Amino acid sequence: MRRILSGIQPTAKIHIGNYLGAVRNWVRLQREDYDPLFCAVDLHALTVPQDPAELRAATREMVATLMAAGIDPDRSTIFVQSHVPAHSELAWLFSCVTPMGWLNRMTQFKEKAGKHRDQAMVGLYTYPVLMAADILVYQATHVPVGEDQKQHLELAREIAGSFNHRYGVDLFPLPEPQILGEATRVMSLRDGTKKMSKSDASDFSRINLTDDADLIAQKIRKAKTDPEPLPSEPAGLDGRAEAANLVALYAAMAEQPPAAVLADYGGQNFAPFKAALADLMVAHLAPIAGELRRLLADPGTVEAVLARGAARARALGETTLAETQETMGLLARPTG
Ligand code: TRP
């Protein structure tokens, strides 16, 4: 049985990049022989400044989005990270057996902290330790993640391995990264060299899951391209970041290799290709957007799912936490 754990930061307005990069792949992991757990990692979101009311709304919206996109609470455990205190408690225990040198290697911290490292919050620095706890508190064996999280997952493996070794136990499996399908890295519609991002000032740089059909068509029509027609083969996309991005987006939506897309559209101008891409997106996204609107208007359904998810996650997490505490020499909790 594969125990699968993944997390996604709560952001209001999930865009097509988050969807194709993570959530769509999660939907496929809901198999009889897997045990998938998916969480909105609100504690990770706190490592950068957040408006409290916005964070709360974004967390609810992220959970509703997961459900609208096809994560089924009957087949997956859906929960909010902060509803399971064992994540934070295990993170503390791990922070006592993780050398600072391991964290000093983390490239994401270096990028996010930038030049003002002294002003960065301690939580941003120890973020990967909490992520290791998210995974290991469920003794997860497989972790679907994007390319940018591979280093953090490697750290989780190191923490698991060194813990087992230090205490002579076999408590934590070494979690495997699960990079699924075409690595879909969706770029901005305005600049094909920049990742599509919710923080981009221009809403025309991204397609949100909540955009309606007209807006999607308009954004695709206005997406930046170059004056050349589409090439007939993928090699012809070299040095054409915007064209490459649109072809990748089409390929991901149609679930075809880029070569097959170019076999159909090579030699043509962008206009008919963009029209077809917009149609494909609308067909795929409209049902999700509709279901998301329905769920946001019905908070009771989302709350019930979260209550169920938290109960199961807590039961699993508590067991691992208690075993870890005992292994490290903490006095057993009084019963009764
Ligand atoms: N750090 C991940 C990201 O930013 C989110 C995350 C937190 C996560 N905990 C996790 C992903 C555990 C996988 C497993 O994308």
Side-chain angles (χ1 to χ4, degrees):
M1 171 73 91
R2 288 187 179 190
R3 166 77 51 79
I4 290 169
L5 180 288
S6 200
I8 190 163
Q9 297 217 19
T11 49
K13 283 211 179 224
I14 169 171
H15 59 67
I16 184 94
N18 315 125
Y19 173 66
L20 292 173
V23 180
R24 188 176 65 165
N25 291 329
W26 293 3
V27 173
R28 302 188 174 137
L29 294 171
Q30 306 182 103
R31 300 174 17 173
E32 289 296 316
D33 52 337
Y34 291 3
D35 178 14
L37 296 105
F38 300 117
C39 61
V41 289
D42 53 349
L43 297 174
H44 278 101
L46 288 178
T47 57
V48 295
Q50 297 284 347
D51 174 84
E54 279 173 23
L55 176 60
R56 218 178 332 270
T59 304
R60 212 176 275 128
E61 187 165 326
M62 178 54 77
V63 172
T65 301
L66 298 182
M67 291 166 63
I71 306 292
D72 174 357
D74 288 329
R75 293 191 289 164
S76 298
T77 301
I78 307 173
F79 65 103
V80 172
Q81 183 186 31
S82 65
H83 294 174
V84 186
H87 290 236
S88 312
E89 296 180 40
L90 188 62
W92 173 259
L93 300 179
F94 283 165
S95 76
C96 296
V97 292
T98 304
M100 286 177 60
W102 291 3
L103 291 183
N104 289 340
R105 294 199 312 253
M106 297 294 116
T107 54
Q108 192 174 75
F109 174 75
K110 289 181 204 164
E111 274 164 27
K112 286 199 177 170
K115 288 196 199 85
H116 308 285
R117 202 170 287 190
D118 284 358
Q119 263 107 56
M121 297 301 158
V122 172
L124 190 66
Y125 181 66
T126 58
Y127 175 116
V129 177
L130 178 60
M131 180 164 158
D134 296 338
I135 298 165
L136 299 175
V137 81
Y138 302 108
Q139 296 169 308
T141 55
H142 292 80
V143 181
V145 278
E147 203 65 39
D148 63 328
Q149 294 298 314
K150 271 172 117 175
Q151 195 185 31
H152 290 162
L153 194 63
E154 194 48 48
L155 183 85
R157 290 169 60 86
E158 273 183 292
I159 291 176
S162 77
F163 186 100
N164 290 344
H165 181 73
R166 176 190 303 246
Y167 292 101
V169 291
D170 196 14
L171 185 52
F172 299 113
L174 304 196
E176 298 277 346
Q178 209 169 18
I179 314 277
L180 294 159
E182 289 269 324
T184 314
R185 192 153 181 261
V186 181
M187 312 306 278
S188 159
L189 299 179
R190 311 243 88 176
D191 176 351
T193 63
K194 272 181 22 196
K195 208 171 154 178
M196 186 179 280
S197 159
K198 66 151 187 159
S199 48
D200 194 310
S202 167
D203 193 52
F204 274 74
S205 69
R206 62 187 160 256
I207 307 272
N208 305 304
L209 238 43
T210 45
D211 290 347
D212 64 24
D214 286 348
L215 189 55
I216 292 177
Q218 208 185 355
K219 285 178 173 178
I220 298 288
R221 218 178 312 120
K222 292 202 169 160
K224 189 176 166 198
T225 48
D226 56 44
E228 302 296 318
L230 284 151
S232 306
E233 282 159 28
L237 293 168
D238 287 353
R240 300 177 66 186
E242 285 80 17
N245 186 39
L246 292 181
V247 170
L249 211 47
Y250 189 107
M253 299 294 319
E255 304 195 45
Q256 286 179 353
V261 178
L262 292 176
D264 288 343
Y265 290 98
Q268 297 189 28
N269 291 325
F270 279 94
F273 173 72
K274 282 178 159 184
L277 176 58
D279 285 348
L280 195 58
M281 286 205 170
V282 169
H284 200 93
L285 302 183
I288 299 178
E291 179 63 6
L292 176 57
R293 271 192 293 277
R294 196 189 69 74
L295 285 167
L296 289 176
D298 172 22
T301 299
V302 174
E303 266 169 43
V305 165
L306 289 182
R308 213 166 107 197
R312 169 149 199 265
R314 277 192 205 124
L316 291 171
E318 274 299 315
T319 308
T320 315
L321 178 64
E323 244 183 278
T324 312
Q325 290 173 328
E326 193 197 326
T327 302
M328 295 179 83
L330 303 187
L331 192 60
R333 297 175 215 181
T335 48

